[in-house]
Structures are given as structure tokens and as C-alpha cells.
Amino acid sequence: MTSATARAPGRVNLIGDHTDYNGGLCLPFAIAPATSTTARSRGDDRLRIRSTAFPEVWSGHLADLTLEGREAMPDWVRYPAGVLWAAREDGWLLPGVDLVIDSELPLGAGLSSSAALECSVALAVGTLVDRPLDPGSRHRLAELCRRAETEFAGAPTGGMDQLVSLLAKPDHALLIDFTDTSVRPVPLALREAGLVVLVTDTGSAHQLVDAESGYAQRRAECERAAAALGLPRIGLAWPDDLSRLDDDVQQARARHVLSENARVEDTITAVTAGDWEAVGRILLSSHVSLRGDFAASTPALDLAVETAVEAGALGARLTGGGFGGSTIALVPEERASAVQTAIDTAFAAAGDPAPTHLVVLPSAGASVRTT
């Protein structure tokens, strides 16, 4: 085998944001748009990485895959190179490789383009070196990709995106419990209910890598709240513990995490019962919490959510890390076009750039083929 091509999807998080790194629950699903990576073995120790999203081709050597060596790499290269670094840290015997990357996912839209990239690289390269990549082994592969993003690329992610990209099933969401990273598929019968999820990219890219970003600040605030309670992660707290937090900001951040965990459980109950009206209400409640207690929303995200509901969506909320990126709306399929038009009109009236939209349903996880 000389080459392998892997395709890894982006994701939408139906409910459960900022809970992964806090030891809580989340309920994402994979979407059809994906990132593909073709990996070819070389007969030397060289690395070459090319992406259709960037004009330059990066060249280096296996010896450059160190935490010190990453400083000389362009930011975008650190994601695929980080996977190679984490793979070597995990004991993979890597040859020199050429990587060619192509993505259908918009960067910074909150649809997990970075995890899709990492997972496609890991699957393609893992296939070249005969690593076990069966469903039972993909949990470990997701952790390898999370390490690549957190430790090498410098983005403090929690692991949700990598798990769902690798483990998703069509027409299912994936319940992830970050107390132990256990997973369980949850049927999500949107097609049968005549519903779709409308993703609206507000055009404001969110950033995870910057230490001063809102995401990094919220993560630090949650860590301080957990420390104040003597807990490793705030998701392990009980609601009664909130009164023991003297800092109002820490209390608000913790309140969001605990209430969001409850919303994940309530969503599963409603989905199982086919009560989609209740699911819509829960989504809107999540947005209110993310906007208020977690202060992760923006005026554009709020406008997209409010307009979607006014135009006929059952519910809507920001999805992903927030501070820009995308919203999701649970919409009857026949209303999807009208909701898009209403949001476009509202953005134009506000003087905001035109958003872009994507209608999605739960899709399959990552796959690989060899040549």
C-alpha cells in the first residue's frame, strides 16, 4: 500500500456546549461536509503538506515534529503536523509522507473543521502504517487527535469534536459523557419527523488558539470555579455547590455547565418521545444560558437565533464554542427556505454581512480507502 485517502466529517453540536472540558455531557452529530486527506508514503524522512485552502506547500522532516519545531510552522500546518507528532508520541513508526488536504468545511464557522482535518490525517496515515482503526480503536485515535490540537496546535479543545467525527452513525447523535469519555449512539429521527437542522454561519470566525480568546478565558474561569470547590472539573459539582462560589463570574459559568448537562438529558428524553417542540424549547434555553451565564454569544448570533424562531423554527441556539461562528435552528423542512430568507433580511437590515446557510441531517463518521 502506497497511499490512503480518509474522509472525516465536521459536526453540529445539538446540545451541550462548553461541557466537554468541564466533565459534562454533550450530544453532537456528524454532518455530510467533510475534510479529505490523501497520504502517500515516501522513501525518505521528508514531510510535505499541501492544502487547497492555502497557497503554500510546507516542507520539512520527521525531525521537525517537536514542540520546539512547531514554532517555525505556519498556523495551519500545526494541525496536520500535530497529528504526526502525537502519533509518534503514541509509538507509531512513521515514514516520511506527503499529505494533500481538501476540505468542504468553512474555517472558523464552529463546525469543527480542525477536528475533521486531524481525524482525516490520522486515519489516512494510520492506514499506511497498519494501525488498528476499527471502531473499538477509534476512541484512542480521537484522544491522539485531541492531543494534537491541544498540545501541538495550541487550541484548548475538550475532545467532543474528534470523537463524533470518528464514531458517528447516520441518523444518530452521539451522547458523550466526559466523566469517563464513554459514548452511546442516540437515534435522531429528524427525517421521519420532517425536520432539518439549519446551520447559519454568521461570517464571524471564532478563534480557539489565542490565549486571550473568549474560549480560553471561559475555560480558565471554569477551572478556577472547580478549584474553588475542590473539584477536578466543574461538571462534577452539584447544583447546591453553586452557593459556595463567592465569585459571581465563576458562579455564572458553573451554572451554565450544570444546567447544560441537565438540558442534554432532557433533550434525549424529548427526542426519544418524539417531542420535537420540547427539543426546540431546550435549544432556545441553551442559547439563553450561553448568552447570559456564559457570555459566549454575539449580536450576530443572537440575531440569527431570534429571527429563526420568529420565522418558524422550533428552536435555535449558537453551536460550538461561540464568540462568532454558527447557529443551528430546528426547522420543519418546508420552512427551511423561509427561515433562511428571514435571517438574510434581518442581517441586511442590521448592516451585517450576508450569512451563509447549510441544511444538514445526522451523517456517518470518518471512512478510509486505500490505493
Side-chain angles (χ1 to χ4, degrees):
M1 180 195 314
T2 59
S3 70
T5 298
R7 179 178 174 86
R11 65 96 186 96
V12 159
N13 190 22
L14 183 64
I15 194 81
D17 272 316
H18 292 278
T19 50
D20 53 355
Y21 59 84
N22 281 308
L25 304 172
C26 58
L27 193 66
F29 62 85
I31 58 178
T35 295
S36 295
T37 295
T38 297
R40 294 183 177 88
S41 293
R42 299 175 54 89
D44 54 28
D45 68 346
R46 292 196 63 196
L47 305 172
R48 291 193 305 178
I49 303 176
R50 178 164 65 88
S51 170
T52 57
F54 299 94
E56 70 269 30
V57 176
W58 181 83
S59 296
H61 296 83
L62 290 170
D64 298 323
L65 298 175
T66 65
L67 295 179
E68 295 76 19
R70 68 179 174 173
E71 300 301 327
M73 298 176 184
D75 287 347
W76 70 270
V77 172
R78 296 181 184 184
Y79 292 87
V83 173
L84 301 179
W85 166 82
R88 295 183 83 195
E89 290 280 301
D90 197 47
W92 296 24
L93 299 177
L94 295 186
V97 292
D98 292 338
L99 302 179
V100 179
I101 300 160
D102 186 24
S103 185
E104 304 158 348
L105 291 161
L107 302 179
L111 301 179
S112 194
S113 59
S114 58
L117 167 58
E118 294 148 10
C119 293
S120 68
V121 171
L123 273 179
V125 175
T127 300
L128 287 184
V129 297
D130 296 322
R131 300 295 298 188
L133 301 173
D134 57 281
S137 302
R138 290 192 177 195
H139 208 288
R140 180 169 180 172
L141 195 67
E143 173 58 16
L144 184 153
C145 292
R146 186 203 64 79
R147 284 195 67 198
E149 184 159 350
T150 298
E151 299 178 32
F152 200 90
T157 56
M160 169 184 68
D161 303 338
Q162 293 84 1
L163 282 166
V164 70
S165 185
L166 289 166
L167 297 173
K169 296 174 58 177
D171 298 314
H172 285 71
L174 188 70
L175 174 63
I176 309 174
D177 184 343
F178 278 94
T179 58
D180 57 6
T181 65
S182 59
V183 300
R184 175 169 64 87
V186 175
L188 200 60
L190 295 176
R191 299 175 202 266
E192 291 86 341
L195 298 169
V196 295
V197 173
L198 174 66
V199 181
T200 297
D201 180 358
T202 64
S204 175
H206 72 163
Q207 300 291 329
L208 301 186
V209 174
D210 185 354
E212 299 302 318
S213 71
Y215 183 97
Q217 291 176 6
R218 295 300 175 275
R219 183 160 184 160
E221 289 161 355
C222 290
E223 289 170 353
R224 287 194 289 270
L229 293 175
L231 297 170
R233 290 182 288 182
I234 199 63
L236 301 176
W238 297 97
D240 291 348
D241 291 328
L242 295 179
S243 62
R244 297 199 289 120
L245 290 170
D246 296 328
D247 184 281
D248 290 343
V249 170
Q250 292 177 10
Q251 188 176 100
R253 307 303 184 243
R255 184 165 53 242
H256 165 73
V257 172
L258 298 185
S259 64
E260 190 80 343
N261 279 341
R263 282 186 287 271
V264 173
E265 294 177 329
D266 291 344
T267 298
I268 293 172
T269 299
V271 164
T272 302
D275 189 349
W276 297 105
E277 295 281 350
V279 174
R281 292 192 296 271
I282 296 167
L283 297 185
L284 190 56
S285 175
S286 173
H287 185 77
V288 170
S289 180
L290 285 161
R291 182 186 63 204
D293 282 341
F294 221 71
S297 192
T298 66
L301 291 168
D302 292 342
L303 181 60
V305 166
E306 293 160 6
T307 305
V309 173
E310 291 169 0
L314 301 184
R317 70 181 199 94
L318 71 85
T319 190
F323 309 101
S326 297
T327 63
I328 57 170
L330 184 64
V331 185
E333 187 173 11
E334 68 273 10
R335 292 292 303 165
S337 180
V339 173
Q340 291 184 47
T341 299
I343 294 172
D344 290 345
T345 301
F347 271 54
D352 292 338
T356 57
H357 305 280
L358 184 67
V359 174
V360 299
L361 289 166
S363 299
S367 60
V368 64
R369 59 182 174 84
T370 60
T371 55

